[in-house]
């Protein structure tokens, strides 16, 4: 059989097979060849009339947390409250009778946290909370570009909610950072960590005291007495409670000079933390509660990795943050997702105040924070276990610096974020090592091996005197940059000039530089333990003139010898 004849036979057989197929097959075949079939995911089962609560199996479900986990109203509240109490009870960091400052931003998570504390202190609570709370609200309207009229309206809503809680409250404006003392950047010695036995002893002592007092719990402010607040300045327009126009202008100038939104968000978070820690120390609070949820911490973990803060993830996302020493930051809402928080606030009428943030209406790729937030939330939509997986990873992080870094509470800390400096100049393969090497090669002291002397005389106004000349300005900038961690150093590149920074940052940087210089100078006059003079000393150990000069020099810059 020839080739043309063979092709005709095969074509005839194909036609006969197609003719025997039913019409539905023909239609399906046409649809298959017309384009790819788009398969939609199966719909999530919604609670119907026949479905019952997975907890009590009696009530009608009102909320579905996960696929198949439908809760009724009462069981969902029990589940939500148990998460909050379990997080506090598992860690046992807050002792009975301690003053705890609740950092409230007006958003859903922090509002839910305040509501949990409010209900936990009520008489109807089964296991009442035993600490003494207070609330702080930081007004960030000037940094976010809000007008004075909008800020007044927002503060009216804030004060109305704060007065209903009955707790002592503190309302501060972000402009107050320009009046903070340099001591806010000092890491005070932390109190001794309480053991399990110490916690049990404190609980027993508190219960006995409450029994003697008749079982009365926390007493709120006296009726008719205004809670304490921190607004002292008067606005020229008669709007009480706002700082001066000079501070507002200085804050606006600072944030307007920053080039990228990423650096703005990081600096805003840093200044807010400094202000909250200062208020906590001033009013005797030893713990600060923040309302960061599980979803927010998962986004923060990925964001900090992208920002070069991998060494500090345990402090930035863990339950407790002890970097400030005497004031510990705790995150009791870290087990709650944003979905659970939204449902709880809606079902139980938790009040909140929505204010525009610094990244409001910003595009997705405007900053690393916005990009990571969109990435995590998009993944969470497609894969519902994304947030929980990232969050569980953060729980396994250990608060220990890597080998080769400065360890211990006495080591140098970053001037802004207060974390241990991740100095690694010996390893030039790392980004920080390469950056430090290039920075040190440009400094005269790196070539000669002689420490750089203070750039200006000590005394009052030393922060302002450092900016007298152009040459001194370069020294001040180098002095500040070398006291920053890798992440903060990269963010400060987006700030053309360091002059708009708050005075307490500049003053602390100058003070640290002078202390390091004098310490280096004093080392040449010290005597070793065996009584022998150190090699390279330029004066006799017993020379009264040299000892007197060194002591006077140390006292001039505030170092007691």
């Amino acid at each position: 059989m020839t080739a043309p004849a063979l092709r005709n036979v095969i074509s005839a057989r194909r036609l006969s097979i197609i003719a025997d197929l039913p019409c539905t097959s023909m239609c399906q075949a046409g649809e298959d060849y017309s384009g790819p079939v788009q398969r939609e995911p199966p719909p999530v089962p919604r609670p119907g009339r026949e479905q019952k609560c997975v907890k009590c199996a009696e009530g009608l479900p009102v909320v579905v947390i996960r696929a198949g986990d439908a809760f009724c109203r009462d069981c969902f509240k029990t589940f939500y409250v148990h998460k909050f109490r379990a997080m506090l009870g598992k860690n046992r960091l807050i002792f009975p009778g301690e003053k705890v400052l609740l950092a409230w931003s007006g958003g859903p998570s922090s509002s839910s946290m305040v509501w949990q504390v409010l209900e936990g202190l009520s008489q109807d609570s089964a296991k009442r909370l035993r600490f003494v709370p207070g609330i702080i609200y930081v007004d960030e309207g000037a940094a976010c570009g809000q007008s004075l009229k909008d800020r007044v309206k927002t503060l009216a809503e804030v004060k109305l909610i704060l007065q209903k809680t009955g707790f002592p409250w503190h309302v501060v404006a972000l402009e107050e950072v320009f009046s903070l003392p340099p001591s806010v950047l000092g890491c005070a010695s932390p109190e001794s960590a309480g053991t399990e036995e110490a916690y049990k002893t404190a609980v027993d002592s508190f219960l006995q005291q409450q029994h003697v007092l008749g079982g009365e719990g926390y007493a709120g402010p006296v009726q008719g007495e205004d809670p304490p607040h921190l607004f002292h300045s008067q606005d020229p327009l008669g709007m009480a409670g706002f700082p001066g126009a000079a501070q507002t202008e200085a804050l606006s100038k600072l944030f307007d000079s920053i080039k990228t939104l990423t650096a703005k968000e990081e600096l805003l978070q840093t200044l807010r933390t400094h202000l909250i820690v200062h208020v906590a120390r001033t009013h005797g609070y030893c713990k600060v509660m923040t309302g960061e949820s599980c979803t927010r911490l998962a986004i923060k973990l990925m964001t900090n990795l992208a920002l070069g803060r991998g060494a500090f993830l345990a402090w930035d996302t863990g339950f407790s943050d002890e970097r400030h020493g005497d004031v510990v930051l705790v995150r009791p809402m870290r087990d709650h997702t944003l979905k659970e928080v939204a449902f709880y606030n809606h079902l139980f009428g938790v009040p909140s105040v929505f204010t525009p943030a610094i990244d409001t209406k910003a595009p997705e790729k405007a900053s690393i924070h916005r990009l990571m937030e969109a990435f995590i939330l998009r993944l969470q939509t497609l894969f519902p276990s994304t947030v929980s997986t990232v969050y569980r990873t953060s729980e396994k992080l250990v608060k220990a610096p890597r080998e080769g870094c400065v360890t211990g509470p006495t080591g140098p800390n970053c001037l802004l974020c207060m974390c241990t400096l991740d100095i690694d100049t010996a390893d030039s393969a790392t980004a920080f090592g390469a950056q430090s090497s290039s920075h040190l090669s440009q400094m005269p002291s790196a070539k000669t091996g002689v420490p750089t002397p203070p750039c200006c005389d000590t005394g009052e106004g030393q922060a302002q005197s450092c900016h007298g000349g152009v040459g001194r300005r370069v020294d001040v900038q180098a002095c500040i940059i070398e006291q920053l961690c890798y992440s903060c150093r990269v963010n400060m590149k987006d700030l053309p000039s360091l002059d708009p920074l708050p005075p307490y940052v500049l003053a602390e940087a100058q003070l640290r530089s002078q202390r390091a210089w004098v310490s280096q100078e004093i080392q040449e006059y010290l005597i070793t333990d065996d009584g022998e003079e150190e090699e390279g000393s330029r004066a006799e150990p017993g020379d009264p003139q040299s000892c007197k000069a060194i002591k006077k020099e140390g006292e001039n810059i505030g170092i007691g010898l």
Side-chain angles (χ1 to χ4, degrees), residues 339-501:
K339 181 179 180 181
E340 296 172 358
V341 171
F343 276 125
Y344 184 88
N345 292 353
H346 174 71
L347 290 176
F348 299 98
V350 177
S352 59
V353 178
F354 293 94
T355 57
I358 197 171
D359 60 344
T360 300
K361 296 184 179 180
E364 181 178 311
K365 298 181 181 180
S367 66
I368 297 179
H369 303 78
R370 290 282 296 112
L371 186 62
M372 281 298 173
E373 180 180 2
F375 172 71
I376 293 295
L377 295 181
R378 189 178 297 113
L379 273 182
Q380 177 68 15
T381 304
L382 301 176
F383 306 96
S385 60
T386 299
V387 170
S388 60
T389 302
V390 177
Y391 167 71
R392 297 303 173 189
T393 304
S394 68
E395 288 187 328
K396 302 177 182 178
L397 299 175
V398 181
K399 295 179 180 178
R402 59 182 176 145
E403 185 179 357
C405 292
V406 180
T407 58
T410 59
N413 295 330
C414 177
L415 193 63
L416 293 180
C417 68
M418 298 297 295
C419 288
T420 304
L421 286 181
D422 48 354
I423 299 176
D424 193 11
T425 55
D427 185 8
S428 59
T430 62
F432 188 85
Q435 186 180 11
S436 301
S437 301
S438 62
H439 171 67
L440 292 176
S441 63
Q442 299 174 2
M443 298 178 62
S445 60
K447 299 179 181 180
T448 60
V450 180
T452 305
C455 61
C456 63
D457 297 331
T458 57
E460 295 183 0
Q462 62 180 11
Q464 290 79 4
S465 62
C466 293
H467 306 275
V470 178
R472 299 302 185 190
R473 188 185 305 273
V474 177
D475 295 339
V476 174
Q477 184 168 359
C479 170
I480 296 177
I481 291 298
E482 67 183 4
Q483 300 182 40
L484 300 178
C485 65
Y486 171 73
S487 177
C488 295
R489 188 173 296 193
V490 173
N491 290 328
M492 285 298 103
K493 286 184 177 180
D494 297 329
L495 190 62
S497 174
L498 300 181
D499 294 340
L501 288 175

Side-chain angles (χ1 to χ4, degrees), residues 276-318:
I276 292 176
V277 170
H278 174 69
V279 173
R281 287 173 176 169
T282 304
H283 294 270
Y285 295 95
C286 55
K287 300 292 190 304
V288 175
M289 280 189 180
T290 60
E292 294 165 296
S293 63
C294 170
T295 308
R296 186 57 56 190
L297 289 178
I299 297 172
K300 188 175 183 179
L301 186 143
M302 300 300 296
T303 302
N304 287 1
L305 283 177
L307 292 174
R309 297 186 56 84
F312 315 129
L313 291 179
W315 283 270
D316 293 335
T317 62

Side-chain angles (χ1 to χ4, degrees), residues 88 91-100 130-132 199 203 287 289 319 330 332:
L88 294 177
N91 293 275
R92 295 188 174 184
L93 287 180
I94 302 178
F95 279 53
E98 284 188 332
K99 296 183 66 177
V100 179
R130 302 186 179 100
F131 55 84
V132 181
Y199 182 84
V203 171
K287 300 292 190 304
M289 280 189 180
F319 173 77
V330 295

Side-chain angles (χ1 to χ4, degrees), residues 24 55 68 111 135 147 193 234 257 273 307 371 404 428 449 467 470 485 496 507 543 551:
T24 56
K55 188 69 175 179
S111 299
I135 305 178
S147 63
Q234 298 292 327
S257 61
T273 303
L307 292 174
L371 186 62
S428 59
H467 306 275
V470 178
C485 65
D543 187 0
K551 184 176 181 180

